[in-house]
Amino acid sequence: MLFQQQLKCEKFHSYINFVETTVLPVKVEIGFQAETVARWIAERTDIQIRVFRPPNYSGTIALVILFALIAALLYMRRNNLDFMYNKTSWGLAAMCIVFAMTSGQMWNHIRGPPFMHRSSRGSVGYIHGSSGGQFIVETYIVIVLNVAIVIGMILLHEAAASRGDSKKRKIMAIIGLAVVAIFFSLLLSVFRMKAQGYPYSFLFK
C-alpha cells in the first residue's frame, strides 16, 4: 500500500483508526485551568486525573496585613477618633469600593486578563469587543469615566444646595451638566463597543 511504501515498512504490529476527533474549546482571552482539562479528559476516556494545587496564602497574608495596619492606626489615634465620624471620609471610602467593583476589578482578579491586546497587524486594542471579556486597561478607563460622572453629579448637587452667589452657582451647574453629559456619553460608547448591536448613543458613537 501507499502508506506502507511511504514508511518503508512491510508489516504493522498494530493499527489505530481515529474516527472522531474532539477539540477542547478554549477562549484565548480567558484560558483554561487544569481542572477543566482533567474533567474534559475524564468525560471522553474515563481516566480520572487528580489535580493538586499547593495552597496560596498570599490573599490571607494581605488581609492580615491590612487588618494589622488598621488596628495600628486605631491604636495610635485612640485618643482622637473624630475622623471615624467624618461623613466625607466614609463617603470617599464607599465610592472607592463602588468604583473598583463596578469597573471589573474582581473579574480581573479571578480571570487574570491581559493588560491590552495587540493584533497581528500591530494595532493596540484597549476595549474588548465582547461582553464576556475585558482588558485591565479597560478597567482603568471605566473607573476614570465613572469618577468624572460622579464629580459632575457632585457639582450639580452643590450648585443646587449651596446658598452662595447665583452666578457662581449657575456656572457650577453648567460645568457639572457638561461633565456628566460628556463622560456618560463616553461610557455609553464603551458599552456599545462591548455589546454589539446596542442601538442607543448620546453624544458620541
Side-chain angles (χ1 to χ4, degrees), residues 22-43:
T22 58
V23 180
L24 173 63
V26 177
K27 292 184 178 180
V28 177
E29 69 275 3
I30 297 177
F32 59 94
Q33 295 184 348
E35 291 82 2
T36 304
V37 179
R39 184 170 58 252
W40 183 79
I41 294 174
E43 291 174 353

Side-chain angles (χ1 to χ4, degrees), residues 17-22 44:
N17 183 17
F18 294 94
V19 179
E20 182 181 357
T21 302
T22 58
R44 287 157 179 80

